[in-house]
Amino acid sequence: MKGSFGKMLKIAFVGAIGYAGFKIYEKIRAAIELDKTLPQYLENVIGEKPEVNITYTLSEYTVSVCFSKEILGKNKSLETTVRDYISDFYPMLNINKIKIELSQKEEKKKA
């Protein structure tokens, strides 16, 4: 009786670690795919390809999107557009734990 309970406990422990590892892998894979597809989507919708940087910590994602000054001035709903895209195509990412930062591209000075 004691041996079978120990084996069941070990199997449950390994299963729980495997499940947690799979969930973390799924979130990281989604962040990598989002980094590839979000600029292309925003270019199709807005007309300008932004610079996108995604940072993942254990508790939240930070999505930094850089557009030109004109685009930021024209489109006031960029954050909503990004949130809608993430919630529609990446449901495995918790939209409540995603912080979206909109910033302006630095203009390159001509020498």
Side-chain angles (χ1 to χ4, degrees), residues 67-106:
F67 278 106
S68 66
K69 187 175 184 178
E70 297 83 29
I71 297 295
L72 288 174
K74 288 179 188 176
N75 301 324
K76 301 295 182 190
S77 65
L78 285 174
E79 184 174 344
T80 306
T81 304
V82 173
R83 280 196 186 279
D84 290 344
Y85 177 75
I86 293 171
S87 65
D88 289 345
F89 294 103
Y90 298 96
M92 70 280 303
L93 302 177
N94 187 354
I95 196 69
N96 298 326
K97 292 188 177 188
I98 295 177
K99 180 180 172 186
I100 297 174
E101 297 175 350
L102 298 175
S103 60
Q104 180 179 337
K105 282 185 184 178
E106 294 182 14

Side-chain angles (χ1 to χ4, degrees), residues 19-37:
Y19 179 75
F22 176 74
K23 285 299 194 181
I24 291 171
Y25 164 76
E26 194 175 51
K27 288 180 181 183
I28 291 172
R29 192 185 91 227
I32 291 169
E33 288 179 17
L34 179 65
D35 191 36
K36 293 178 184 176
T37 60

Side-chain angles (χ1 to χ4, degrees), residues 37-50 67 81 85:
T37 60
L38 184 61
Q40 189 175 27
Y41 171 76
L42 291 174
E43 182 179 19
N44 291 339
V45 172
I46 307 298
E48 178 183 323
K49 188 171 187 176
F67 278 106
T81 304
Y85 177 75

Side-chain angles (χ1 to χ4, degrees), residues 11-23:
I11 291 172
F13 181 71
V14 170
I17 288 181
Y19 179 75
F22 176 74
K23 285 299 194 181

